[in-house]
């Protein structure tokens, strides 16, 4: 087994009711009538109107990345070729795919391009790349469950294959109906 | 310091609506054949569309009746590649990496009536690897249009930088459905006739079904690579960080990927470039800008989309196989559908089948999510 070639700088978790940074709870869902992702968005003082156009998978990923990077000291102005993203989940974009499927029913056929664009699992990596201007490696994998050892292997390999990479935003971002499971981290070579 | 391995293709296979087999597909396109045609009322989709769909006979094989269309063709492609590679796919030192964008998405039409998890990509992947008696958890790469190339990069990295596997079977497969066609139609991305990659009058893409598989192997000594073997020399992925569905105006991400894989490589050895060439206005312009910025605009470039359409998760794998055969035969396949090239930056679009000069080809691919990939392949000569 290859030796781990990176350090974890910060970690976060989001479930359907809790958001944590480095194991510390920063928000607990109290009001079930309000959308949890919007609640979290406001609670962390995020200002990114595009957020409200996104599907739930992208919202989960973009909130996870925000928890990791909102106080991070890095170049916010220019695209950083030395930053990469590697994410995985088990439901790919099925949560939004079911939504698109409803728009193409035989008796109510009205396919929406705004919904269709989110029917790809890796759009969440694209949204995070745009928000945080990361221009390096960007990969999305689909696995039955979160295999952290595989994740670390893939991150290690990305570092070996791409000598210019310094930071990688990585982890698990799964949204499937009621289930929300975000476990992300920023690692540094 | 770790040992550097050579990662090479040990066997491959293609199943398309045009032909079964890598060589058969190559011969078919080399003689100008294409399965693209118009479909009306297919899947009760109101608007007609131009595409390449598998005929029903493709799925008649009785031993594969329990599988969905997607799993069925993925297994057919993998079976052919594994057989040609002569490996035991059930060995724990064999990993499967599967590229697809939508897998069994058609299961969503009535998800509750389907077997559990049928729409889940990992589930399909496990059925596919179980068919070969392989117990490693397959890795599914779902990176939109670049998936097929991204899967080969994952395979390359697994063989080059870890000592977990001796062989990686890369499968790229996609079947179309009402879901995918309706989506692309809503995007106004489809051409009503055969697509025209890099043409000044190009007006959108065609979609196609296909499955392709490559068995990658590794060796430490160059002499172990078979004569005329195709070696994957490098691969890189970069994100434009610009737009989720529109290509970058500057081609920045693709440019960085190309520069990375051609670093320390004499680009005079590149016989041709097999571009993504979807025939959408913006993709083809973006590729022309990236190639111009890399100083590679003079190298013959082709797109195979005019033959098969855009086969999504299969594209990167299938097009690498067809380009590998072209390199072995030292020829460049013409870009079918292109009548009069016209891109933001001029390109040397291959308009007729011609002979190739060089021992390498470059594969380009870009897609939704802002991802771009470049792969470099070289041909092993007997003289080496």
């Amino acid at each position: 087994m290859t030796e781990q070639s990176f350090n974890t700088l910060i970690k976060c978790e989001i479930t359907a009711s809790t958001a944590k940074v480095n194991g510390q709870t920063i928000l607990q869902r109290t009001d079930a009538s309000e959308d949890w992702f919007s609640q979290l968005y406001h609670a962390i003082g995020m200002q990114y109107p595009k957020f409200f156009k996104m599907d739930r998978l992208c919202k989960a990923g973009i909130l996870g990345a925000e928890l990791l990077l909102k106080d991070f000291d890095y170049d916010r102005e220019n695209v950083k070729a030395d930053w990469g993203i590697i994410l995985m989940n088990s439901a790919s974009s099925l949560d939004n795919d079911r939504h698109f499927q409803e728009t193409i029913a035989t008796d109510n056929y009205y396919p929406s391009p705004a919904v269709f664009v989110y029917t790809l699992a890796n759009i969440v990596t694209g949204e995070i790349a745009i928000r945080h201007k990361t221009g390096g490696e960007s990969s999305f994998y689909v696995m039955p469950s979160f295999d952290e050892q595989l994740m670390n292997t893939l991150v290690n390999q990305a570092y070996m294959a791409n000598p210019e990479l310094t930071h990688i935003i990585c982890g698990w971002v799964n949204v499937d109906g009621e289930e929300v499971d975000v476990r992300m981290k920023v690692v540094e070579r | 310091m770790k040992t550097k391995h050579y990662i090479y293709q040990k066997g491959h296979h293609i199943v398309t609506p045009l032909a079964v087999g890598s060589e058969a597909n190559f011969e078919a396109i080399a003689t100008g054949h294409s399965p693209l045609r118009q479909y009306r009322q297919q899947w009760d989709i109101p608007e007609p569309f131009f595409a390449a769909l598998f005929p029903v006979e493709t799925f008649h094989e009785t031993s594969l009746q329990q599988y969905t269309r997607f799993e069925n063709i993925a297994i057919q492609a993998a079976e052919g590649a594994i057989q040609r590679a002569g490996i035991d796919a059930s060995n724990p030192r064999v990993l499967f990496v599967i590229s697809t964008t939508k897998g069994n998405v058609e299961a969503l039409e009535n998800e509750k009536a389907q077997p559990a998890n049928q729409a889940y990509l990992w589930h399909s992947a496990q059925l596919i690897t179980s068919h070969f008696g392989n117990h490693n958890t397959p890795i599914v790469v779902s990176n939109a249009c670049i998936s097929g190339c991204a899967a080969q990069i994952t395979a390359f990295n697994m063989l080059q930088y870890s000592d977990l596997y001796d062989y990686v079977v890369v499968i790229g497969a996609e079947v179309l459905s009402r879901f995918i066609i309706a989506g692309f139609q809503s995007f106004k991305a489809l051409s009503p006739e055969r697509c025209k990659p890099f043409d000044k009058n190009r007006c959108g893409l065609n979609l196609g079904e296909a499955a392709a598989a490559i068995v990658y192997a590794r060796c430490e000594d160059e002499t172990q690579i078979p004569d005329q073997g195709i070696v994957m020399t490098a691969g890189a992925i970069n994100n434009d960080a610009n737009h989720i569905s529109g290509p970058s105006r500057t081609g920045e991400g693709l440019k960085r990927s190309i520069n990375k894989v051609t670093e320390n490589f004499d680009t005079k050895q590149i016989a041709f470039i097999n571009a993504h060439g979807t025939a959408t206005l913006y993709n083809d312009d973006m590729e022309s800008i990236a190639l111009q910025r890399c100083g590679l605009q003079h190298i013959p470039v082709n797109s195979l989309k005019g033959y098969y359409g855009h086969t999504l998760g299969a594209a990167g794998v299938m097009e690498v196989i067809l380009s590998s055969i072209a390199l072995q035969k030292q020829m460049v396949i013409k870009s079918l559908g292109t009548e009069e090239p016209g891109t933001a930056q001029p390109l040397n679009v291959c308009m007729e089948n011609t002979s190739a000069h060089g021992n390498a080809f470059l594969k380009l691919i870009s897609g939704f999510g802002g991802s771009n990939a470049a792969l470099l392949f070289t041909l092993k000569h007997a003289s080496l």
Side-chain angles (χ1 to χ4, degrees):
Chain A
M1 191 58 219
T2 323
E3 231 176 276
Q4 190 162 304
S5 60
F6 57 85
N7 300 313
T8 300
L9 300 180
I10 182 166
K11 299 196 312 192
C12 75
E13 282 171 46
I14 304 173
T15 66
S17 60
T18 323
K20 292 180 183 177
V21 175
N22 287 336
Q24 295 255 347
T25 302
I26 62 141
L27 190 69
Q28 190 84 43
R29 187 174 191 182
T30 47
D31 183 356
S33 66
E34 198 194 340
D35 175 63
W36 166 233
F37 290 149
S38 303
Q39 214 177 317
L40 184 54
Y41 172 92
H42 292 300
I44 61 176
M46 195 172 172
Q47 291 190 332
Y48 196 55
K50 257 165 95 178
F51 173 84
F52 296 99
K53 286 207 262 178
M54 294 176 194
D55 76 323
R56 296 172 70 236
L57 178 64
C58 287
K59 281 181 175 167
I62 211 97
L63 286 168
E66 203 70 15
L67 290 176
L68 296 172
L69 295 168
K70 69 189 177 76
D71 299 319
F72 202 88
D73 182 19
Y74 71 121
D75 181 356
R76 289 167 196 268
E77 302 304 314
N78 305 296
V79 174
K80 301 174 287 297
D82 52 358
W83 277 64
I85 306 177
I86 303 177
L87 296 176
M88 51 174 76
N89 77 4
S90 71
S92 61
S93 58
L94 282 173
D95 192 73
N96 183 66
D97 293 357
R98 293 184 184 109
H99 182 193
F100 184 73
Q101 184 67 42
E102 289 166 12
T103 74
I104 59 167
T106 326
D107 48 357
N108 186 23
Y109 186 80
Y110 208 82
S112 156
V115 179
F116 185 66
V117 72
Y118 289 105
T119 62
L120 289 164
N122 69 313
I123 297 298
V124 60
T125 58
E127 290 286 15
I128 296 171
I130 294 167
R131 170 71 173 160
H132 297 285
K133 298 193 167 65
T134 68
E137 167 92 24
S138 99
S139 293
F140 200 97
Y141 299 95
V142 179
M143 305 299 292
S145 58
F146 188 30
D147 177 347
E148 194 153 13
Q149 196 184 333
L150 173 68
M151 182 86 239
N152 291 342
T153 300
L154 293 169
V155 169
N156 254 328
Q157 292 175 353
Y159 275 131
M160 285 189 266
N162 302 280
E164 75 282 1
L165 275 184
T166 58
H167 293 76
I168 299 178
I169 302 165
C170 58
W172 181 259
V173 183
N174 200 45
V175 174
D176 191 0
E178 295 295 304
E179 190 201 323
V180 175
D181 184 6
V182 177
R183 283 174 272 175
M184 291 167 69
K185 59 188 180 183
V186 176
V187 301
E188 182 185 41
R189 190 194 289 269
Chain B
M1 188 68 193
K2 288 181 72 78
T3 320
K4 181 185 177 266
H5 292 98
Y6 294 91
I7 316 296
Y8 65 96
Q9 299 172 359
K10 197 170 168 64
H12 49 62
H13 192 62
I14 299 176
V15 184
T16 70
L18 183 59
V20 173
S22 302
E23 284 287 341
N25 271 282
F26 183 85
E27 290 308 326
I29 63 167
T31 46
H33 292 86
S34 161
L36 289 170
R37 68 171 179 91
Q38 196 186 55
Y39 290 86
R40 287 179 179 275
Q41 294 302 314
Q42 177 76 26
W43 298 310
D44 290 326
I45 296 169
E47 271 178 77
F49 59 93
F50 211 83
L53 307 182
F54 280 116
V56 286
E57 305 85 75
T58 307
F59 306 100
H60 280 175
E61 170 61 47
T62 46
S63 66
L64 300 177
Q65 286 309 308
Q66 72 271 38
Y67 297 107
T68 63
R69 296 169 75 235
F70 167 72
E71 292 147 14
N72 187 318
I73 53 154
I75 289 170
Q76 288 187 42
E79 202 147 59
I82 289 163
Q83 202 170 49
R84 278 157 191 80
I87 64 162
D88 171 9
S90 69
N91 192 300
R93 298 277 298 173
V94 176
L95 175 70
F96 281 71
V97 177
I98 299 176
S99 156
T100 183
T101 66
K102 299 310 308 164
N104 287 330
V105 75
E106 55 200 350
L108 294 186
E109 278 166 29
N110 192 358
E111 196 177 4
K112 290 196 179 74
Q114 310 297 337
N117 297 325
Q118 189 166 82
Y120 290 76
L121 303 181
W122 58 264
H123 182 256
S124 280
Q126 287 188 340
L127 293 178
I128 294 164
T129 54
S130 297
H131 180 86
F132 297 100
N134 186 289
H135 301 299
N136 289 320
T137 307
I139 296 180
V140 177
V141 176
S142 198
N143 237 357
C145 306
I146 78 158
S147 301
C149 287
Q152 291 172 75
I153 292 173
T154 300
F156 179 92
N157 288 348
M158 278 289 172
L159 293 169
Q160 185 69 271
Y161 302 114
S162 299
D163 187 30
L164 300 166
Y165 308 103
D166 297 321
Y167 302 105
V168 180
V169 182
V170 176
I171 308 172
E174 207 76 56
V175 291
L176 298 175
S177 54
R178 180 179 167 90
F179 186 105
I180 297 176
I181 301 290
F184 274 89
Q185 282 182 336
S186 78
F187 246 76
K188 309 273 178 235
L190 299 184
S191 165
E193 51 185 15
R194 184 184 307 282
C195 67
K196 300 175 174 181
F198 304 114
D199 195 275
K200 73 182 201 1
N201 295 318
R202 65 190 182 278
C203 60
L205 54 84
N206 303 141
L207 291 166
E209 299 187 320
I214 306 175
V215 176
Y216 280 100
R218 65 177 187 176
C219 59
E220 287 175 21
D221 190 344
E222 206 172 352
T223 58
Q224 293 171 276
I225 306 165
D227 181 34
Q228 293 287 300
I230 299 286
V231 178
M232 183 171 164
T233 306
I237 299 174
N238 282 276
N239 200 294
D240 290 319
N242 171 65
H243 195 281
I244 53 167
S245 59
S248 151
R249 295 289 166 110
T250 61
E252 178 65 23
L254 184 59
K255 185 206 83 166
R256 275 191 270 112
S257 289
I258 296 170
N259 280 342
K260 178 110 184 282
V261 299
T262 55
E263 200 177 28
N264 307 319
F265 188 80
D266 175 11
T267 55
K268 288 193 194 70
Q269 294 183 49
I270 300 174
F272 62 90
I273 296 165
N274 175 234
H276 191 32
T278 58
T280 65
L281 191 58
Y282 294 117
N283 174 80
D284 295 6
D285 272 348
M286 183 280 289
E287 287 189 290
S288 76
I289 292 165
L291 284 170
Q292 192 267 343
R293 289 181 69 196
C294 294
L296 301 178
Q297 71 278 19
H298 58 281
I299 298 176
V301 61
N302 69 2
S303 158
L304 301 177
K305 303 295 191 291
Y307 297 94
Y308 297 103
H310 188 349
T311 57
L312 306 172
V317 184
M318 178 178 74
E319 293 171 9
V320 160
I321 297 172
L322 294 168
S323 299
S324 297
I325 298 173
L327 185 67
Q328 287 166 331
K329 294 184 188 294
Q330 289 284 286
M331 77 183 267
V332 194
I333 294 286
K334 75 169 178 183
S335 212
L336 186 68
T338 316
E339 288 159 9
E340 192 178 340
T343 40
Q345 292 295 329
L347 291 173
N348 180 8
V349 182
C350 184
M351 303 295 290
E352 292 300 332
N353 293 346
T354 49
S355 56
H357 307 285
N359 67 355
F361 78 88
L362 190 60
K363 170 71 195 138
L364 310 182
I365 202 155
S366 299
F368 282 4
S371 307
N372 304 273
L375 307 180
L376 182 68
F377 291 87
T378 52
L379 175 68
K380 158 84 185 285
H381 289 299
S383 57
L384 286 174

